[in-house]
Amino acid sequence: MAGIAPVGSTDGRPRRRRLMFSAVAVGTLLAVPALSVATPAGAASAAKAVTTSARANTPKPTVVLVHGAFADSSSWNGVTSRLERQGYPVIAVANPLRGLADDSAYLSSILDTVPGPVVLVGHSYGGAVITDAATGHPNVKALVYIAAFAPDQGETGLAILGQYPGSQLSPALTVRPYPGGQDAYVNPTDFRQVFAADVSADKARLMAAGQRPVSLAAFAEPSATPAWKTIPSWFLVAGSDRAIPPAAEQAMAQRAGSHTQVIRGASHAVLVSHPEATTHLIEAAAQGTS
């Protein structure tokens, strides 16, 4: 065997070098596909990273907050500050409180000016306003009801309160005339008990002094086409509400097919007493429709 030389060589050395080179080349070529083919687990991780990055770079929806009767935009302050810290643009609308059709038209005109997606939030009577105003606005991606009315077509606030016992609102009202109608206020001596039982006495006193009156006609005005029939909704039920009975809130949430959270012991002013939970529900609505 020692006397047999490889083909093309007199001593075997050049041929062995070529064979060694070929082995290295083949090994390199075989290694390339192994580097370029991702495993299923790796592909899933990469896809997740891309999705997370895309969400981080997607502008957040504008949150439009609508206060109800016997309140003003400052009732959203605790919620607004938390949403803004999370990067949400916020508009706290000054609800006119003159009548359901007029108030809804006013809110609708504001929605016309907001670019991009909107999460529309209503407290108390503000829930009836967002129910009507959101219809016909494709940029409204979610409705959030905070201890609010969510009426069906033709329903009134008075009719809903009449179906469910427990509201202490009516006997606590003081009525004052204004040109063209009558305004209702919550008597300051009853305000905390009826409206804000889980708010500190000092804060409730300031809320009572600064409350915005609502036209009595607003509660008797029938609702138009309800947006909750076509737009996903979330509902925060105040478990100890003495203005809108919790049973009424639960029934409206169920009818609308809302994602529902109940806060036991919460008053009608749950957005003031529980701003963290209110904010979390609004964020859930924003994320649930993104």
Side-chain angles (χ1 to χ4, degrees):
M1 294 292 292
I4 300 176
V7 177
S9 171
T10 57
D11 60 2
R13 291 178 195 169
R15 179 61 171 169
R16 280 196 293 270
R17 282 197 296 269
R18 285 195 296 272
L19 290 172
M20 290 173 63
F21 174 80
S22 299
V24 172
V26 170
T28 302
L29 290 172
L30 290 174
V32 171
L35 292 173
S36 62
V37 176
T39 64
S45 297
K48 183 177 181 182
V50 170
T51 301
T52 301
S53 176
R55 285 179 179 174
N57 294 325
T58 301
K60 293 188 175 182
T62 299
V63 179
V64 177
L65 306 170
V66 183
H67 68 81
F70 322 117
D72 64 11
S73 295
S74 68
S75 61
W76 292 110
N77 283 354
V79 173
T80 298
S81 61
R82 287 167 170 81
L83 287 170
E84 288 182 339
R85 283 199 296 269
Q86 295 301 320
Y88 289 93
V90 178
I91 300 173
V93 174
N95 190 355
L97 304 178
R98 296 297 84 194
L100 184 54
D102 289 344
D103 297 341
S104 299
Y106 176 78
L107 177 58
S108 179
S109 71
I110 292 176
L111 296 175
D112 285 337
T113 70
V114 181
V118 169
V119 174
L120 189 54
V121 187
H123 171 241
S124 188
Y125 164 74
V129 177
I130 71 171
T131 295
D132 286 7
T135 300
H137 287 277
N139 61 326
V140 177
K141 303 302 182 183
L143 302 171
V144 184
Y145 294 91
I146 308 297
F149 289 109
D152 202 347
Q153 186 163 2
E155 277 189 326
T156 68
L158 287 177
I160 292 171
L161 291 180
Q163 291 177 46
Y164 300 90
S167 176
Q168 300 178 15
L169 183 60
S170 182
L173 295 181
T174 295
V175 177
R176 296 188 175 99
Y178 70 88
Q182 292 181 308
D183 264 343
Y185 298 76
V186 177
N187 190 319
T189 59
D190 298 319
F191 188 92
R192 189 182 184 206
Q193 176 183 334
V194 173
F195 199 89
D198 59 348
V199 175
S200 71
D202 286 344
K203 182 175 286 189
R205 186 175 65 254
L206 292 175
M207 290 171 64
Q211 65 178 290
R212 292 268 310 284
V214 62
S215 172
L216 278 179
F219 286 112
E221 196 170 335
S223 181
T225 303
W228 49 256
K229 288 191 174 180
T230 56
I231 301 175
S233 61
W234 281 252
F235 210 115
L236 186 60
V237 174
S240 294
D241 199 328
R242 295 170 183 165
I244 302 176
E249 295 173 16
Q250 287 271 26
M252 288 184 284
Q254 183 175 5
R255 179 176 64 185
S258 304
H259 305 272
T260 304
Q261 179 183 355
V262 179
I263 299 184
R264 300 187 184 281
S267 73
H268 191 60
V270 61
L271 70 168
V272 177
S273 58
H274 294 84
E276 194 76 26
T278 303
T279 302
H280 285 164
L281 189 68
I282 294 169
E283 288 184 292
Q287 294 164 6
T289 57
S290 60

mmCIF file with all atom_site columns, all heavy atoms in Angstrom, residues 16-34:
data_model
loop_
_atom_site.group_PDB
_atom_site.id
_atom_site.type_symbol
_atom_site.label_atom_id
_atom_site.label_alt_id
_atom_site.label_comp_id
_atom_site.label_asym_id
_atom_site.label_entity_id
_atom_site.label_seq_id
_atom_site.pdbx_PDB_ins_code
_atom_site.Cartn_x
_atom_site.Cartn_y
_atom_site.Cartn_z
_atom_site.occupancy
_atom_site.B_iso_or_equiv
_atom_site.pdbx_formal_charge
_atom_site.auth_seq_id
_atom_site.auth_comp_id
_atom_site.auth_asym_id
_atom_site.auth_atom_id
_atom_site.pdbx_PDB_model_num
ATOM 1   N N   . ARG A 1 16 ? -4.112  15.184 -0.963 1.00 0.00 ? 16 ARG A N   1
ATOM 2   C CA  . ARG A 1 16 ? -4.636  15.236 0.406  1.00 0.00 ? 16 ARG A CA  1
ATOM 3   C C   . ARG A 1 16 ? -5.050  16.659 0.776  1.00 0.00 ? 16 ARG A C   1
ATOM 4   O O   . ARG A 1 16 ? -6.024  16.883 1.443  1.00 0.00 ? 16 ARG A O   1
ATOM 5   C CB  . ARG A 1 16 ? -3.589  14.687 1.378  1.00 0.00 ? 16 ARG A CB  1
ATOM 6   C CG  . ARG A 1 16 ? -3.551  13.163 1.412  1.00 0.00 ? 16 ARG A CG  1
ATOM 7   C CD  . ARG A 1 16 ? -2.802  12.683 2.638  1.00 0.00 ? 16 ARG A CD  1
ATOM 8   N NE  . ARG A 1 16 ? -1.392  13.050 2.545  1.00 0.00 ? 16 ARG A NE  1
ATOM 9   C CZ  . ARG A 1 16 ? -0.481  12.249 1.971  1.00 0.00 ? 16 ARG A CZ  1
ATOM 10  N NH1 . ARG A 1 16 ? -0.834  11.102 1.422  1.00 0.00 ? 16 ARG A NH1 1
ATOM 11  N NH2 . ARG A 1 16 ? 0.787   12.620 1.942  1.00 0.00 ? 16 ARG A NH2 1
ATOM 12  N N   . ARG A 1 17 ? -4.247  17.641 0.292  1.00 0.00 ? 17 ARG A N   1
ATOM 13  C CA  . ARG A 1 17 ? -4.613  19.034 0.574  1.00 0.00 ? 17 ARG A CA  1
ATOM 14  C C   . ARG A 1 17 ? -5.952  19.383 -0.060 1.00 0.00 ? 17 ARG A C   1
ATOM 15  O O   . ARG A 1 17 ? -6.782  20.052 0.524  1.00 0.00 ? 17 ARG A O   1
ATOM 16  C CB  . ARG A 1 17 ? -3.513  19.976 0.080  1.00 0.00 ? 17 ARG A CB  1
ATOM 17  C CG  . ARG A 1 17 ? -2.304  20.035 1.020  1.00 0.00 ? 17 ARG A CG  1
ATOM 18  C CD  . ARG A 1 17 ? -1.465  21.248 0.721  1.00 0.00 ? 17 ARG A CD  1
ATOM 19  N NE  . ARG A 1 17 ? -0.896  21.180 -0.630 1.00 0.00 ? 17 ARG A NE  1
ATOM 20  C CZ  . ARG A 1 17 ? 0.293   20.631 -0.883 1.00 0.00 ? 17 ARG A CZ  1
ATOM 21  N NH1 . ARG A 1 17 ? 1.001   20.084 0.094  1.00 0.00 ? 17 ARG A NH1 1
ATOM 22  N NH2 . ARG A 1 17 ? 0.754   20.622 -2.107 1.00 0.00 ? 17 ARG A NH2 1
ATOM 23  N N   . ARG A 1 18 ? -6.151  18.909 -1.307 1.00 0.00 ? 18 ARG A N   1
ATOM 24  C CA  . ARG A 1 18 ? -7.423  19.171 -1.965 1.00 0.00 ? 18 ARG A CA  1
ATOM 25  C C   . ARG A 1 18 ? -8.576  18.496 -1.238 1.00 0.00 ? 18 ARG A C   1
ATOM 26  O O   . ARG A 1 18 ? -9.655  19.050 -1.081 1.00 0.00 ? 18 ARG A O   1
ATOM 27  C CB  . ARG A 1 18 ? -7.366  18.706 -3.426 1.00 0.00 ? 18 ARG A CB  1
ATOM 28  C CG  . ARG A 1 18 ? -6.552  19.633 -4.336 1.00 0.00 ? 18 ARG A CG  1
ATOM 29  C CD  . ARG A 1 18 ? -6.835  19.347 -5.790 1.00 0.00 ? 18 ARG A CD  1
ATOM 30  N NE  . ARG A 1 18 ? -6.404  18.016 -6.152 1.00 0.00 ? 18 ARG A NE  1
ATOM 31  C CZ  . ARG A 1 18 ? -5.179  17.711 -6.573 1.00 0.00 ? 18 ARG A CZ  1
ATOM 32  N NH1 . ARG A 1 18 ? -4.242  18.656 -6.641 1.00 0.00 ? 18 ARG A NH1 1
ATOM 33  N NH2 . ARG A 1 18 ? -4.867  16.459 -6.919 1.00 0.00 ? 18 ARG A NH2 1
ATOM 34  N N   . LEU A 1 19 ? -8.339  17.282 -0.751 1.00 0.00 ? 19 LEU A N   1
ATOM 35  C CA  . LEU A 1 19 ? -9.385  16.588 -0.013 1.00 0.00 ? 19 LEU A CA  1
ATOM 36  C C   . LEU A 1 19 ? -9.713  17.301 1.283  1.00 0.00 ? 19 LEU A C   1
ATOM 37  O O   . LEU A 1 19 ? -10.863 17.442 1.669  1.00 0.00 ? 19 LEU A O   1
ATOM 38  C CB  . LEU A 1 19 ? -8.947  15.145 0.273  1.00 0.00 ? 19 LEU A CB  1
ATOM 39  C CG  . LEU A 1 19 ? -8.893  14.212 -0.945 1.00 0.00 ? 19 LEU A CG  1
ATOM 40  C CD1 . LEU A 1 19 ? -8.259  12.882 -0.546 1.00 0.00 ? 19 LEU A CD1 1
ATOM 41  C CD2 . LEU A 1 19 ? -10.284 13.998 -1.508 1.00 0.00 ? 19 LEU A CD2 1
ATOM 42  N N   . MET A 1 20 ? -8.699  17.770 1.973  1.00 0.00 ? 20 MET A N   1
ATOM 43  C CA  . MET A 1 20 ? -8.920  18.501 3.231  1.00 0.00 ? 20 MET A CA  1
ATOM 44  C C   . MET A 1 20 ? -9.692  19.796 2.964  1.00 0.00 ? 20 MET A C   1
ATOM 45  O O   . MET A 1 20 ? -10.599 20.158 3.691  1.00 0.00 ? 20 MET A O   1
ATOM 46  C CB  . MET A 1 20 ? -7.577  18.795 3.913  1.00 0.00 ? 20 MET A CB  1
ATOM 47  C CG  . MET A 1 20 ? -6.891  17.541 4.464  1.00 0.00 ? 20 MET A CG  1
ATOM 48  S SD  . MET A 1 20 ? -5.246  17.908 5.081  1.00 0.00 ? 20 MET A SD  1
ATOM 49  C CE  . MET A 1 20 ? -5.672  19.020 6.402  1.00 0.00 ? 20 MET A CE  1
ATOM 50  N N   . PHE A 1 21 ? -9.304  20.497 1.900  1.00 0.00 ? 21 PHE A N   1
ATOM 51  C CA  . PHE A 1 21 ? -10.006 21.741 1.557  1.00 0.00 ? 21 PHE A CA  1
ATOM 52  C C   . PHE A 1 21 ? -11.468 21.471 1.239  1.00 0.00 ? 21 PHE A C   1
ATOM 53  O O   . PHE A 1 21 ? -12.369 22.183 1.672  1.00 0.00 ? 21 PHE A O   1
ATOM 54  C CB  . PHE A 1 21 ? -9.317  22.401 0.355  1.00 0.00 ? 21 PHE A CB  1
ATOM 55  C CG  . PHE A 1 21 ? -10.057 23.616 -0.157 1.00 0.00 ? 21 PHE A CG  1
ATOM 56  C CD1 . PHE A 1 21 ? -9.929  24.837 0.481  1.00 0.00 ? 21 PHE A CD1 1
ATOM 57  C CD2 . PHE A 1 21 ? -10.890 23.527 -1.261 1.00 0.00 ? 21 PHE A CD2 1
ATOM 58  C CE1 . PHE A 1 21 ? -10.609 25.947 0.019  1.00 0.00 ? 21 PHE A CE1 1
ATOM 59  C CE2 . PHE A 1 21 ? -11.580 24.619 -1.705 1.00 0.00 ? 21 PHE A CE2 1
ATOM 60  C CZ  . PHE A 1 21 ? -11.436 25.842 -1.065 1.00 0.00 ? 21 PHE A CZ  1
ATOM 61  N N   . SER A 1 22 ? -11.708 20.394 0.494  1.00 0.00 ? 22 SER A N   1
ATOM 62  C CA  . SER A 1 22 ? -13.082 20.055 0.130  1.00 0.00 ? 22 SER A CA  1
ATOM 63  C C   . SER A 1 22 ? -13.918 19.743 1.349  1.00 0.00 ? 22 SER A C   1
ATOM 64  O O   . SER A 1 22 ? -15.080 20.124 1.453  1.00 0.00 ? 22 SER A O   1
ATOM 65  C CB  . SER A 1 22 ? -13.086 18.860 -0.834 1.00 0.00 ? 22 SER A CB  1
ATOM 66  O OG  . SER A 1 22 ? -12.395 19.180 -2.011 1.00 0.00 ? 22 SER A OG  1
ATOM 67  N N   . ALA A 1 23 ? -13.362 19.072 2.306  1.00 0.00 ? 23 ALA A N   1
ATOM 68  C CA  . ALA A 1 23 ? -14.094 18.750 3.543  1.00 0.00 ? 23 ALA A CA  1
ATOM 69  C C   . ALA A 1 23 ? -14.476 20.007 4.301  1.00 0.00 ? 23 ALA A C   1
ATOM 70  O O   . ALA A 1 23 ? -15.587 20.146 4.818  1.00 0.00 ? 23 ALA A O   1
ATOM 71  C CB  . ALA A 1 23 ? -13.246 17.832 4.423  1.00 0.00 ? 23 ALA A CB  1
ATOM 72  N N   . VAL A 1 24 ? -13.547 20.946 4.369  1.00 0.00 ? 24 VAL A N   1
ATOM 73  C CA  . VAL A 1 24 ? -13.849 22.226 5.050  1.00 0.00 ? 24 VAL A CA  1
ATOM 74  C C   . VAL A 1 24 ? -14.935 22.980 4.311  1.00 0.00 ? 24 VAL A C   1
ATOM 75  O O   . VAL A 1 24 ? -15.866 23.536 4.905  1.00 0.00 ? 24 VAL A O   1
ATOM 76  C CB  . VAL A 1 24 ? -12.563 23.082 5.155  1.00 0.00 ? 24 VAL A CB  1
ATOM 77  C CG1 . VAL A 1 24 ? -12.905 24.481 5.678  1.00 0.00 ? 24 VAL A CG1 1
ATOM 78  C CG2 . VAL A 1 24 ? -11.553 22.406 6.064  1.00 0.00 ? 24 VAL A CG2 1
ATOM 79  N N   . ALA A 1 25 ? -14.864 23.015 2.995  1.00 0.00 ? 25 ALA A N   1
ATOM 80  C CA  . ALA A 1 25 ? -15.863 23.730 2.190  1.00 0.00 ? 25 ALA A CA  1
ATOM 81  C C   . ALA A 1 25 ? -17.238 23.140 2.359  1.00 0.00 ? 25 ALA A C   1
ATOM 82  O O   . ALA A 1 25 ? -18.239 23.853 2.524  1.00 0.00 ? 25 ALA A O   1
ATOM 83  C CB  . ALA A 1 25 ? -15.454 23.714 0.715  1.00 0.00 ? 25 ALA A CB  1
ATOM 84  N N   . VAL A 1 26 ? -17.324 21.803 2.323  1.00 0.00 ? 26 VAL A N   1
ATOM 85  C CA  . VAL A 1 26 ? -18.616 21.147 2.497  1.00 0.00 ? 26 VAL A CA  1
ATOM 86  C C   . VAL A 1 26 ? -19.176 21.441 3.871  1.00 0.00 ? 26 VAL A C   1
ATOM 87  O O   . VAL A 1 26 ? -20.363 21.730 4.037  1.00 0.00 ? 26 VAL A O   1
ATOM 88  C CB  . VAL A 1 26 ? -18.472 19.615 2.270  1.00 0.00 ? 26 VAL A CB  1
ATOM 89  C CG1 . VAL A 1 26 ? -19.743 18.899 2.694  1.00 0.00 ? 26 VAL A CG1 1
ATOM 90  C CG2 . VAL A 1 26 ? -18.154 19.323 0.828  1.00 0.00 ? 26 VAL A CG2 1
ATOM 91  N N   . GLY A 1 27 ? -18.313 21.385 4.874  1.00 0.00 ? 27 GLY A N   1
ATOM 92  C CA  . GLY A 1 27 ? -18.775 21.690 6.238  1.00 0.00 ? 27 GLY A CA  1
ATOM 93  C C   . GLY A 1 27 ? -19.301 23.095 6.358  1.00 0.00 ? 27 GLY A C   1
ATOM 94  O O   . GLY A 1 27 ? -20.305 23.358 7.017  1.00 0.00 ? 27 GLY A O   1
ATOM 95  N N   . THR A 1 28 ? -18.641 24.048 5.684  1.00 0.00 ? 28 THR A N   1
ATOM 96  C CA  . THR A 1 28 ? -19.098 25.444 5.713  1.00 0.00 ? 28 THR A CA  1
ATOM 97  C C   . THR A 1 28 ? -20.448 25.584 5.038  1.00 0.00 ? 28 THR A C   1
ATOM 98  O O   . THR A 1 28 ? -21.355 26.267 5.533  1.00 0.00 ? 28 THR A O   1
ATOM 99  C CB  . THR A 1 28 ? -18.070 26.349 5.013  1.00 0.00 ? 28 THR A CB  1
ATOM 100 O OG1 . THR A 1 28 ? -16.815 26.202 5.666  1.00 0.00 ? 28 THR A OG1 1
ATOM 101 C CG2 . THR A 1 28 ? -18.515 27.812 5.043  1.00 0.00 ? 28 THR A CG2 1
ATOM 102 N N   . LEU A 1 29 ? -20.586 24.940 3.872  1.00 0.00 ? 29 LEU A N   1
ATOM 103 C CA  . LEU A 1 29 ? -21.853 25.020 3.147  1.00 0.00 ? 29 LEU A CA  1
ATOM 104 C C   . LEU A 1 29 ? -22.993 24.406 3.942  1.00 0.00 ? 29 LEU A C   1
ATOM 105 O O   . LEU A 1 29 ? -24.107 24.919 3.950  1.00 0.00 ? 29 LEU A O   1
ATOM 106 C CB  . LEU A 1 29 ? -21.723 24.314 1.794  1.00 0.00 ? 29 LEU A CB  1
ATOM 107 C CG  . LEU A 1 29 ? -20.842 25.019 0.757  1.00 0.00 ? 29 LEU A CG  1
ATOM 108 C CD1 . LEU A 1 29 ? -20.651 24.126 -0.458 1.00 0.00 ? 29 LEU A CD1 1
ATOM 109 C CD2 . LEU A 1 29 ? -21.459 26.355 0.344  1.00 0.00 ? 29 LEU A CD2 1
ATOM 110 N N   . LEU A 1 30 ? -22.702 23.300 4.609  1.00 0.00 ? 30 LEU A N   1
ATOM 111 C CA  . LEU A 1 30 ? -23.739 22.660 5.416  1.00 0.00 ? 30 LEU A CA  1
ATOM 112 C C   . LEU A 1 30 ? -24.128 23.519 6.612  1.00 0.00 ? 30 LEU A C   1
ATOM 113 O O   . LEU A 1 30 ? -25.249 23.468 7.091  1.00 0.00 ? 30 LEU A O   1
ATOM 114 C CB  . LEU A 1 30 ? -23.251 21.290 5.900  1.00 0.00 ? 30 LEU A CB  1
ATOM 115 C CG  . LEU A 1 30 ? -23.115 20.211 4.825  1.00 0.00 ? 30 LEU A CG  1
ATOM 116 C CD1 . LEU A 1 30 ? -22.482 18.956 5.407  1.00 0.00 ? 30 LEU A CD1 1
ATOM 117 C CD2 . LEU A 1 30 ? -24.476 19.880 4.224  1.00 0.00 ? 30 LEU A CD2 1
ATOM 118 N N   . ALA A 1 31 ? -23.181 24.315 7.094  1.00 0.00 ? 31 ALA A N   1
ATOM 119 C CA  . ALA A 1 31 ? -23.463 25.145 8.275  1.00 0.00 ? 31 ALA A CA  1
ATOM 120 C C   . ALA A 1 31 ? -24.334 26.333 7.940  1.00 0.00 ? 31 ALA A C   1
ATOM 121 O O   . ALA A 1 31 ? -25.064 26.839 8.782  1.00 0.00 ? 31 ALA A O   1
ATOM 122 C CB  . ALA A 1 31 ? -22.156 25.620 8.901  1.00 0.00 ? 31 ALA A CB  1
ATOM 123 N N   . VAL A 1 32 ? -24.316 26.850 6.720  1.00 0.00 ? 32 VAL A N   1
ATOM 124 C CA  . VAL A 1 32 ? -25.057 28.059 6.350  1.00 0.00 ? 32 VAL A CA  1
ATOM 125 C C   . VAL A 1 32 ? -26.551 27.901 6.512  1.00 0.00 ? 32 VAL A C   1
ATOM 126 O O   . VAL A 1 32 ? -27.217 28.722 7.138  1.00 0.00 ? 32 VAL A O   1
ATOM 127 C CB  . VAL A 1 32 ? -24.690 28.500 4.914  1.00 0.00 ? 32 VAL A CB  1
ATOM 128 C CG1 . VAL A 1 32 ? -25.617 29.611 4.440  1.00 0.00 ? 32 VAL A CG1 1
ATOM 129 C CG2 . VAL A 1 32 ? -23.244 28.956 4.849  1.00 0.00 ? 32 VAL A CG2 1
ATOM 130 N N   . PRO A 1 33 ? -27.160 26.820 5.985  1.00 0.00 ? 33 PRO A N   1
ATOM 131 C CA  . PRO A 1 33 ? -28.608 26.665 6.187  1.00 0.00 ? 33 PRO A CA  1
ATOM 132 C C   . PRO A 1 33 ? -28.975 26.582 7.659  1.00 0.00 ? 33 PRO A C   1
ATOM 133 O O   . PRO A 1 33 ? -30.018 27.062 8.067  1.00 0.00 ? 33 PRO A O   1
ATOM 134 C CB  . PRO A 1 33 ? -28.930 25.355 5.463  1.00 0.00 ? 33 PRO A CB  1
ATOM 135 C CG  . PRO A 1 33 ? -27.847 25.192 4.457  1.00 0.00 ? 33 PRO A CG  1
ATOM 136 C CD  . PRO A 1 33 ? -26.625 25.760 5.100  1.00 0.00 ? 33 PRO A CD  1
ATOM 137 N N   . ALA A 1 34 ? -28.131 25.983 8.463  1.00 0.00 ? 34 ALA A N   1
ATOM 138 C CA  . ALA A 1 34 ? -28.445 25.868 9.890  1.00 0.00 ? 34 ALA A CA  1
ATOM 139 C C   . ALA A 1 34 ? -28.541 27.220 10.549 1.00 0.00 ? 34 ALA A C   1
ATOM 140 O O   . ALA A 1 34 ? -29.292 27.425 11.489 1.00 0.00 ? 34 ALA A O   1
ATOM 141 C CB  . ALA A 1 34 ? -27.377 25.015 10.579 1.00 0.00 ? 34 ALA A CB  1
#
